[in-house]
Amino acid sequence: MGRPPDPARRERTLARATDYVLGHGLVGLSLRPLAAALGTSPRMLLYDFGSKQELVAAVLAEARRRGAARLAENLPPQATSPEGHLRGIWAWFSEPERAGYVRLMFEVHADGLVHPENYPNQAEAITGWFNALNTTFRDIATGPDDTVAPTLVMAVIRGLLFDLTTTGDRRRTDHALDRFCELLWH
């Protein structure tokens, strides 16, 4: 009989694998180099996660969990204003320290267009923001079930992040966010 699974080891491995993917991305991810970087073996990765696909799914879920927790910890109180909340979201996501999260988000979106079977929960990750954003931006929403307002906010943030990531033009993208806020609230 084989050794029983060790949940603590799996969690440690997941944390380190998530750090690795945030630093290196998913493109060309191979179990052998990943295992070497983590000080384990490909066999142990498969033992703990079942397959490379399940490992990647766990890493993406952990990255989303970390990102959401850190965003919640670092945003100004929601009571300030919806505009302040939007500016806080932009400030947090656009910081250079978040580059790994932003690159991973775009990498998953792009790969998901070609290989949607690899990311069965991708739509849930996007729609999961609707309730939080709808509550925050109720002054631009048309009702409690409005998904257009949060979709618009997410599209602008994603577009500006893509622009910032590819061009590095912080001044222009910050000004574009300022203009978006003006259009919504002034």
Side-chain angles (χ1 to χ4, degrees), residues 5-28:
D6 179 354
R9 183 190 66 240
R10 184 185 190 279
E11 289 305 310
R12 285 190 307 273
T13 302
L14 177 59
R16 291 173 48 229
T18 303
D19 292 341
Y20 181 90
V21 167
L22 286 170
H24 297 88
L26 286 173
V27 172

Side-chain angles (χ1 to χ4, degrees), residues 116-154:
E117 68 280 2
N118 291 342
Y119 309 98
N121 298 325
Q122 186 171 359
E124 289 173 25
I126 293 169
T127 59
W129 284 86
F130 285 165
N131 290 339
L133 290 176
N134 219 3
T135 300
T136 301
F137 302 110
R138 55 179 146 243
D139 60 335
I140 62 169
T142 58
D145 297 325
D146 178 11
T147 58
V148 173
T151 298
L152 176 62
V153 170
M154 285 188 328

